[in-house]
Amino acid sequence: MTGHAHAHGDHSGHSHAVAADADRRWLRAALILITAFMAIEVVIGFIARSLALISDAAHMLTDAASIVLALIAMRLAARPARGGYTYGLKRAEILSAQANGVTLLVLSVWLAYEAIHRLIEPPEVTGGLVLVTALAGVAVNLVATWCISKANRSSLNVEGAYQHILTDLFGFIATAVSGAVVLTTGFARADAIASLLVVALMLKAGIGLVRDSGRIFMEAAPAGVDPDALGGRLVAADQVVEVHDLHVWEITSGDPALSAHVLVEPGGDCHKVRRTLQELLAAEYGITHATLQVDHLGEQEGEELLRIGHRADSSDAHCADTHGPVHRAGPHDH
């Protein structure tokens, strides 16, 4: 088999279908509920002079925006790959998730400033009106949260909208408690304290969304996948001598991909090795979008085992820079 190169590039069976299309009706139902209640809450918030209600309404506005953005992103991600966009527009969903995270962070800063100001100089708050409106908000958000929970939350895009609604639900609960406190004790600062609790929830959700979407944009390995352990698993396969140029990333949430250069022992069955590795990746890691270049060791002129980071003689070698750790059977440095 030494008379020809065995550079087998293969995309194992994978689907680019966007299952999120089926989730649109759940998102639309939540959007209608939230938009209708938000308009009512803004009016009541100003009448009751309640920052907690106004902050909840502001958060509901970002809820509505996040759902609209999610619906647009779903539509874009469903478009087939064409032209320069070889993956299509799948990462539109990640852009949407990151935008949702950033709006949560920005809004939390503004609400924190307003809440601290009201802690220092608390205005008069109509506790009864706040309590009734907040309880109604809890009911509306429970239904909206249920709607979005029925959608595919493995999508970071849908998860972004879900986190918006969930923090709003907790916010309404905190607002209802503050309204009850103001109504029964007259402690007006309870309204600002409830707002700070909402801020804490928004910060937590916002940071999580920005972090997770940032990992995908930076093409980090999917959560729960250790590239070194994965490389060790691949090189332990029968006939495999070395694995390098190993890259594992996510095209979009829940859509992992991998590429690698695999060297097999002279005379080994390259096709069989490729099939074995792709089956292993699919079964153990859920990676069905894998591109593997499989070659016999030493069949290209000047080709020999790589040193860590560089080939012994890079003048005629396949890749002078290995773009990452080199994996071999037995103990070795990464």
Side-chain angles (χ1 to χ4, degrees):
M1 291 189 181
T2 58
H4 60 282
H6 287 271
H8 303 287
D10 178 81
H11 298 276
S12 62
H14 55 275
S15 172
H16 295 288
V18 180
D21 283 344
D23 301 329
R24 287 176 185 163
R25 61 191 180 97
W26 295 112
L27 292 177
R28 290 193 190 105
L31 178 62
I32 293 170
L33 281 170
I34 287 168
T35 304
F37 188 79
M38 178 187 65
I40 298 170
E41 189 182 19
V42 169
V43 175
I44 297 175
F46 279 106
I47 293 173
R49 301 185 67 187
S50 169
L51 177 63
L53 281 182
I54 294 173
S55 66
D56 282 332
H59 190 206
M60 290 192 88
L61 177 61
T62 66
D63 293 342
S66 72
I67 295 174
V68 170
L69 199 58
L71 288 168
I72 293 173
M74 283 180 183
R75 182 73 66 178
L76 291 175
R79 293 182 178 179
R82 60 166 61 96
Y85 295 93
T86 56
Y87 282 125
L89 298 174
K90 287 181 176 292
R91 284 197 175 168
E93 294 191 307
I94 308 306
L95 279 171
S96 170
Q98 190 164 74
N100 284 334
V102 170
T103 56
L104 281 172
L105 295 177
V106 172
L107 192 57
S108 67
V109 172
W110 175 73
L111 291 176
Y113 171 81
E114 289 293 327
I116 292 171
H117 178 71
R118 289 197 172 206
L119 277 176
I120 299 171
E121 298 181 11
E124 183 178 344
V125 177
T126 308
L129 197 54
V130 171
L131 176 59
V132 172
T133 307
L135 289 174
V138 169
V140 169
N141 273 266
L142 277 172
V143 176
T145 302
W146 177 80
C147 286
I148 297 187
S149 71
K150 301 289 287 183
N152 176 23
R153 285 181 54 206
S154 66
S155 164
L156 195 58
N157 179 42
V158 174
E159 180 66 13
Y162 179 80
Q163 287 297 331
H164 266 271
I165 306 298
L166 190 62
T167 55
D168 209 28
L169 172 61
F170 292 145
F172 271 115
I173 293 172
T175 302
V177 172
S178 74
V181 171
V182 172
L183 182 63
T184 56
T185 68
F187 182 60
R189 286 184 173 87
D191 184 74
I193 293 172
S195 296
L196 287 175
L197 291 175
V198 175
V199 165
L201 293 170
M202 292 169 69
L203 281 172
K204 180 177 182 296
I207 290 171
L209 286 171
V210 171
R211 181 193 64 236
D212 292 343
S213 59
R215 282 184 58 85
I216 292 177
F217 281 127
M218 295 299 292
E219 299 196 334
V225 175
D226 180 350
D228 284 338
L230 189 153
R233 188 72 183 86
L234 294 178
V235 82
D238 186 44
Q239 302 184 60
V240 176
V241 178
E242 178 179 289
V243 175
H244 58 266
D245 289 355
L246 172 63
H247 303 285
V248 56
W249 70 100
E250 283 186 288
I251 299 168
T252 186
S253 51
D255 192 0
L258 177 143
S259 66
H261 187 191
V262 180
L263 297 181
V264 303
E265 59 190 27
D269 188 337
C270 289
H271 296 286
K272 180 180 179 181
V273 168
R274 175 179 54 76
R275 289 193 299 269
T276 298
L277 294 183
Q278 287 175 334
E279 289 169 1
L280 182 153
L281 289 168
E284 297 189 15
Y285 296 93
I287 300 174
T288 57
H289 189 134
T291 303
L292 301 175
Q293 178 184 344
V294 185
D295 292 309
H296 285 136
L297 175 65
E299 84 181 344
Q300 295 181 15
E301 183 180 356
E303 183 172 55
E304 45 187 281
L305 286 177
L306 293 175
R307 293 176 180 168
I308 303 302
H310 297 280
R311 195 176 292 275
D313 178 9
S314 61
S315 58
D316 299 316
H318 162 71
C319 48
D321 183 354
T322 63
H323 309 295
V326 176
H327 303 275
R328 301 192 192 98
H332 59 280
D333 294 328
H334 284 155

